[in-house]
Amino acid sequence: MTVHSFQEHFDEKMDKDQAIEAKDWMPDDYRKTLIRQIAQHAHSEIVGMLPEGNWITRAPNLRRKAILLAKVQDEAGHGLYLYSAAESLGISRDDMMEQLHSGKQKYSSIFNYPTISWADMGAVGWLVDGAAIMNQVPLCRTSYGPYARAMVRICKEESFHQRQGYEIMLTLANGTEVQKKMAQDSLNRWWWPSLMMFGPPDADSPHTEQSMRWRIKRFTNDELRQRFVDVTVEQARILGLTIPDKDLKWNEATGHYDFGTPDWNEFYNILKGNGPCNKERLDTRRKAWEEGQWVREAALAYSDKRRQRKEKKAA
Amino acid sequence: MSQKADSKREWPLWEVFIRSKAGLDHKHAGSLHAADADMAIENARDVYTRRMEGISIWVVESKYIHASDPGDAEILYEPANDKIYRHPTFYNLPDELTHM
Ligand SMILES: [Fe+2]
Ligand SMILES: [Fe+2]
């Protein structure tokens, strides 16, 4: 087959909604874009453990502590599923680690905000995991098989994340005046960053069209953002909390909520590395990687030794 | 020198197969890195069975999996195409016939 017919074969699969598997031929750009997207997604799961890990030892009771621990452990698992999916495209795990640490590959900007109160564990579960779920559910049908299968597994596990967060908010919102204030303050701080999780407006998102064609993106940033606002407004009402947007208003004509514009300058600034926690997050990851080096080496040395001993016995 | 090369060595990749309950086949669940088979099974338990998804785990180092070439699909599977008489629906039998 010529390159041309490989391309035709690939395009036909795209048109017919068929999956691409690791050993199938694929265009270089498709492979590169997928590696970037999946690695970024994997890094987000791993770095995303840090803002919540911050509260594990200070959870208000044993039940909350066990739940938070389980959630953070899930996120580690999500990172691993996704790293494996990316590896099937020909990048090594160590390469991805290196590129995270050097800043060449990114992770979601949301994790560069600090978690300063217990209520943030509620808001993060409710809003951040909520936004992530909205982003991720359509990816269960993405064109690259290993990525789609990882997403199915992840989405199954995510739903408890959002529910436990909402439950924290509900408890605080129905608690004392101080607790309610804490919940509102947390919503105020996490609302706009959560909206930014869907990425820049469609007009400033040049790759959307190609990604939609490849089915590695199934809805545009603005479509998903709108959907998120529409479902979250009602959830805030049940909590009795106020969404910090004076432009938020039901629009009878469109059947959707109108809402204000996030501060995109803030978004791009954090992307450049200038968010409140960028440095702390990367330093923590680098430190964990460097200080784990001897463990990785020791485990290999131990398995080498055991294999040699076995071979000697057999000889 | 060899120290340096060693530190660059990644833990090998393993494929994980899980039996979800007694009586069912082991099914491919995903992959992970581990230094040896024991660690691969322990990691598989942590990564793939956090919600009682399995009662038995197989791991095999990925390099030992031999796979067919997707480019050969036509040659490999075509011969089955024209043998539809292998399917029960191929046979035209009277409607009143039951238990068959
Ligand atoms: Fe996750
Ligand atoms: Fe999550």
Side-chain angles (χ1 to χ4, degrees):
Chain A
M1 272 200 275
T2 64
V3 171
H4 181 64
S5 76
F6 277 127
Q7 178 73 51
E8 278 177 349
H9 194 61
F10 175 86
D11 290 341
E12 204 182 287
K13 279 189 169 165
M14 286 292 138
D15 293 339
K16 286 188 182 156
D17 240 11
Q18 283 171 355
I20 305 295
E21 292 295 340
K23 295 187 88 182
D24 291 339
W25 184 91
M26 60 188 87
D28 276 347
D29 278 348
Y30 175 82
R31 186 185 298 274
K32 266 189 226 147
T33 307
L34 265 177
I35 288 177
R36 180 162 37 80
Q37 181 172 327
I38 301 173
Q40 176 169 334
H41 192 163
H43 296 326
S44 302
E45 302 282 355
I46 298 301
V47 177
M49 295 162 76
L50 300 176
E52 291 183 298
N54 181 37
W55 280 92
I56 290 175
T57 56
R58 292 176 289 158
N61 57 46
L62 199 54
R63 176 178 180 270
R64 295 288 183 205
K65 186 174 182 169
I67 292 170
L68 190 57
L69 205 53
K71 178 187 190 285
V72 172
Q73 193 192 11
D74 270 357
E75 307 300 5
H78 298 174
L80 296 184
Y81 308 154
L82 289 161
Y83 282 131
S84 302
E87 283 175 86
S88 70
L89 290 159
I91 186 170
S92 77
R93 182 80 59 102
D94 283 5
D95 277 343
M96 284 186 273
M97 290 299 138
E98 234 159 70
Q99 294 190 27
L100 168 67
H101 299 153
S102 73
K104 194 178 168 218
Q105 287 175 346
K106 304 286 182 203
Y107 57 89
S108 176
S109 285
I110 192 82
F111 301 119
N112 290 317
Y113 291 92
T115 44
I116 58 177
S117 79
W118 170 251
D120 288 358
M121 294 305 93
V124 165
W126 172 35
L127 300 172
V128 176
D129 286 80
I133 291 170
M134 204 137 271
N135 263 329
Q136 290 170 355
V137 167
L139 290 175
C140 294
R141 294 178 297 120
T142 191
S143 62
Y144 187 55
Y147 189 24
R149 291 191 286 276
M151 290 316 309
V152 168
R153 198 176 283 281
I154 288 172
C155 287
K156 263 192 212 154
E157 300 183 350
E158 280 294 343
S159 62
F160 113 72
H161 297 183
Q162 196 186 15
R163 291 172 69 92
Q164 65 85 35
Y166 192 82
E167 193 196 59
I168 291 173
M169 291 306 265
L170 197 62
T171 306
L172 293 173
N174 292 320
T176 63
E177 258 326 290
V178 178
Q179 286 175 316
K180 187 165 181 182
K181 230 169 126 186
M182 202 163 123
Q184 180 64 53
D185 166 69
S186 187
L187 170 56
N188 292 349
R189 282 180 292 107
W190 289 96
W191 175 253
W192 292 107
S194 299
L195 292 196
M196 294 181 202
M197 282 177 73
F198 297 97
D202 293 350
D204 305 323
S205 178
H207 302 300
T208 292
E209 201 182 325
Q210 177 62 268
S211 293
M212 300 267 279
R213 163 105 181 94
W214 280 336
R215 284 186 282 122
I216 55 182
K217 190 166 185 167
R218 312 228 45 170
F219 297 97
T220 73
N221 298 352
D222 287 335
E223 283 168 350
L224 290 168
R225 191 166 13 247
Q226 180 70 59
R227 200 181 287 183
F228 179 75
V229 171
D230 287 346
V231 303
T232 309
V233 169
E234 175 61 15
Q235 295 168 354
R237 198 192 56 75
I238 294 173
L239 292 173
L241 298 178
T242 310
I243 288 178
D245 179 358
K246 58 178 174 27
D247 297 320
L248 187 73
K249 213 177 124 216
W250 177 250
N251 184 326
E252 199 67 58
T254 60
H256 295 287
Y257 282 95
D258 292 336
F259 56 96
T261 311
D263 182 354
W264 291 113
N265 282 333
E266 179 180 310
F267 175 80
Y268 287 115
N269 207 19
I270 294 179
L271 213 57
K272 271 189 245 149
N274 303 321
C277 299
N278 291 59
K279 187 175 173 334
E280 187 189 327
R281 301 291 187 237
L282 269 186
D283 283 352
T284 306
R285 286 312 315 159
R286 283 194 202 108
K287 182 164 175 270
W289 181 252
E290 280 157 19
E291 291 181 356
Q293 181 66 32
W294 74 269
V295 180
R296 295 190 293 277
E297 285 168 21
L300 273 180
Y302 178 64
S303 83
D304 284 349
K305 197 173 87 182
R306 285 214 303 178
R307 189 177 336 109
Q308 280 160 11
R309 217 180 263 159
K310 225 191 243 167
E311 281 165 5
K312 220 186 245 166
K313 238 191 212 163
Chain B
M1 224 15 227
S2 74
Q3 190 83 32
K4 181 107 197 278
D6 235 26
S7 73
K8 282 282 170 199
R9 228 176 94 203
E10 275 191 15
W11 288 353
L13 191 67
W14 300 74
E15 299 303 319
V16 178
F17 299 84
I18 295 193
R19 186 200 297 283
S20 59
K21 61 180 190 193
L24 296 183
D25 294 325
H26 283 78
K27 205 176 142 202
H28 186 237
S31 40
L32 49 77
H33 289 272
D36 56 31
D38 292 339
M39 190 195 278
I41 288 177
E42 275 167 26
N43 289 357
R45 182 205 56 198
D46 290 344
V47 178
Y48 292 108
T49 66
R50 286 196 302 283
R51 289 176 174 76
M52 297 178 295
E53 290 98 332
I55 56 155
S56 161
I57 297 171
W58 286 353
V59 293
V60 57
E61 234 185 290
S62 308
K63 66 178 181 193
Y64 294 122
I65 301 248
H66 299 268
S68 61
D69 181 344
D72 289 342
E74 259 171 62
I75 314 165
L76 280 174
Y77 311 116
E78 191 278 334
N81 249 343
D82 60 359
K83 296 184 179 60
I84 49 170
Y85 45 81
R86 281 180 169 145
H87 296 278
T89 46
F90 174 77
Y91 301 91
N92 233 332
L93 302 179
D95 286 346
E96 58 265 36
L97 184 72
T98 54
H99 299 295
M100 194 180 281

